[in-house]
Amino acid sequence: MAEAAVADRPAVTLPDAQTVTEVRHWTDRLFSFRCTRPKSLRFRSGEFVMIGLPGENGKPLLRAYSIASPNWDDELEFYSIKVPDGPLTSRLQHIREGDEIILRPKPVGTLVHDALLPGERLWLLATGTGVAPFASLMRDPETYERFGTVVMMHTCREAAELEYGRELVESLADDPLIGEVVRGRLLYYPTTTREVSARMGRITDNLTSGKVFEDLGLPKMDPATDRAMICGSLAFNIDVKTVLEGFGLNEGANSDPKEFVVEKAFVGEGI
Ligand code: FAD
Ligand code: A2P
C-alpha cells in the first residue's frame, strides 16, 4: 500500500533548479555552459558539485562536475564532455539558454589550496575535461597570493580540444578583475599527442625528459618549492603521481596537506 502511494505521487517542479545563461560548443565532443548560482552556494575554487537533469519517473539524473568558474563569480560555469550514449550528457549537450538544470549545492573535492603546503610554484596538470577545476583555480586571486608562479599543463589528443583552456588563459592577462594579479605569473604549456602541433607530448613524458622545465626556464620539480594538482583519467593520474613521487613530492589531502593532490576527471568504464 505504502509503495503504491509513493509511485502515484505527482511529479514536482525541479528541486535545486538553476537557469542556463549561456552555452558554447567547442567541438563535437566538448561544450561549456554557464548558469545562475544559488545564493546559498559557497565553494572553494577547485571543488565539484552534482548537477543533472530530471531522469525517468522524475528522479534526478546527477553526475559530478567540477565548477570551472572562480568563487567570486556571480554565475557558475561548467565544461563538459558529450558522451554519445551517456545517460546524462547525451541530453545535457542539448541544453540552451533559459533551460533549467538541477544543481545540488554541496561542493566537495581534493583540488583545493587547503590540501597543499605553501610553496613557490603551483603545477596544474590536466588532460581533457580535467582542466575544468583549474579553470576555476587559475581565476582565483588566492592562487596567486599563495604561489609566485602557476604553470598550467594541459594535454589533449587534438588542438581543437585545447581551445576552451587556451581562450581562458589568453583572456586572463586583460581581465579587468584579476588581469593585474595574473600577468606574467601564469605559464601555459598546452600539448597535443595525436595531432601535430607546436608543442607535443604527454605530460608524463615532458616532465620526465625535463623538456617542460627547459622550455619554460624553470628548475626541475623539488618538494621544497613545487606543488601540484592532477586531474585526468585514472591511468593518467596514476602515471603522473608516480612521476611526481619520483621528484620527491608526496600526496596530500584536505586533512593532511602535502606537496600534491589528485582527483579523477571522470570514472572510466568498469572502474
Ligand atoms: P557516464 O555514464 O557518466 O560515463 C560514460 C563513460 O564516458 C565513462 O565510463 C567514461 O568512459 C566516459 N566519460 C565520462 N566523463 C568523461 C569525461 N569528462 N571525459 C572523458 N570521458 C568521459 N565530466 C565533465 O565533462 N566535466 C567535469 O567537470 C567533470 N567533473 C567530474 C568530477 C568528478 C570528481 C568526477 C568523478 C567526474 C567528473 N566528470 C566530469 C564526469 C561526469 O561525472 C560524467 O561522467 C560525465 O558527465 C558523463 O556523464 P554521462 O551520464 O553522459 O555518462
Ligand atoms: P595519448 O594520445 O598518447 O594516449 P584520452 O582522450 O584517451 O582520455 O587522452 C587524453 C590525453 O591524455 C591524450 O593526449 C593522451 O595521450 C593523454 N594520456 C592518456 N593516458 C595517459 C597516461 N597514462 N599518461 C599520460 N598521458 C596520458
Side-chain angles (χ1 to χ4, degrees), residues 17-53:
Q18 298 302 322
T19 305
V20 174
T21 57
E22 187 187 307
V23 183
R24 288 185 69 182
H25 291 269
W26 299 88
T27 71
D28 59 355
R29 296 253 303 150
L30 294 165
F31 72 113
S32 60
F33 62 94
R34 293 175 67 84
C35 68
T36 52
R37 174 176 176 170
K39 284 200 177 61
S40 61
L41 178 64
R42 297 277 171 277
F43 67 96
R44 294 179 293 175
S45 296
E47 287 185 315
F48 67 88
V49 286
M50 302 302 290
I51 66 169
L53 294 169

Side-chain angles (χ1 to χ4, degrees), residues 45-220:
S45 296
E47 287 185 315
F48 67 88
V49 286
M50 302 302 290
I51 66 169
L53 294 169
E56 304 283 306
N57 306 322
K59 207 176 146 220
L61 174 59
L62 300 173
R63 292 285 185 270
Y65 268 80
S66 296
I67 302 174
S69 45
N71 53 20
W72 50 261
D73 201 327
D74 291 341
E75 292 187 339
L76 296 173
E77 183 174 309
F78 297 97
Y79 180 51
S80 180
I81 191 81
K82 304 175 196 176
V83 182
D85 305 319
L88 179 64
T89 57
S90 60
R91 292 172 51 210
L92 191 69
Q93 61 179 288
H94 300 296
I95 52 165
R96 290 180 181 199
E97 193 182 321
D99 288 349
E100 286 191 337
I101 61 156
I102 303 168
L103 188 149
R104 295 273 191 259
K106 294 195 183 94
V108 286
T110 55
L111 303 178
V112 291
H113 287 308
D114 295 341
L116 291 178
L117 294 170
E120 284 177 28
R121 270 178 300 280
L122 175 64
W123 294 79
L124 303 173
L125 310 173
T127 59
T129 60
V131 74
F134 304 146
S136 176
L137 283 153
M138 281 191 286
R139 291 186 262 189
D140 187 345
E142 190 187 346
T143 304
Y144 305 90
E145 281 162 22
R146 290 185 179 241
F147 298 95
T149 305
V150 178
V151 187
M152 177 72 242
M153 291 182 81
H154 186 205
T155 297
C156 295
R157 294 178 181 204
E158 295 170 13
E161 299 167 309
L162 293 165
E163 271 314 301
Y164 169 78
R166 181 185 300 281
E167 191 180 295
L168 172 69
V169 171
E170 286 175 357
S171 70
L172 282 186
D174 298 321
D175 189 288
L177 284 173
I178 58 160
E180 211 165 306
V181 178
V182 173
R183 222 166 290 143
R185 313 239 326 258
L186 173 61
L187 307 180
Y188 180 48
Y189 199 87
T191 60
T192 57
T193 49
R194 309 268 173 126
E195 182 181 344
V196 175
S197 71
R199 278 214 170 113
M200 296 193 63
R202 285 182 162 203
I203 286 173
T204 40
D205 294 338
N206 285 322
L207 286 171
T208 46
S209 68
K211 186 170 188 313
V212 60
F213 307 121
E214 211 174 285
D215 287 348
L216 297 178
L218 295 175
K220 203 176 78 175

Side-chain angles (χ1 to χ4, degrees), residues 213-267:
F213 307 121
E214 211 174 285
D215 287 348
L216 297 178
L218 295 175
K220 203 176 78 175
M221 266 190 206
D222 181 327
T225 49
D226 293 83
R227 306 290 172 256
M229 295 187 179
I230 308 170
C231 191
S233 65
L234 183 65
F236 171 78
N237 288 359
I238 290 171
D239 289 350
V240 178
K241 181 175 144 91
T242 305
V243 171
L244 298 193
E245 285 170 348
F247 287 122
L249 279 67
N250 301 293
E251 183 172 357
N254 269 282
S255 56
D256 185 18
K258 287 190 183 165
E259 288 95 27
F260 74 87
V261 279
V262 184
E263 196 155 79
K264 276 191 284 223
F266 60 92
V267 180

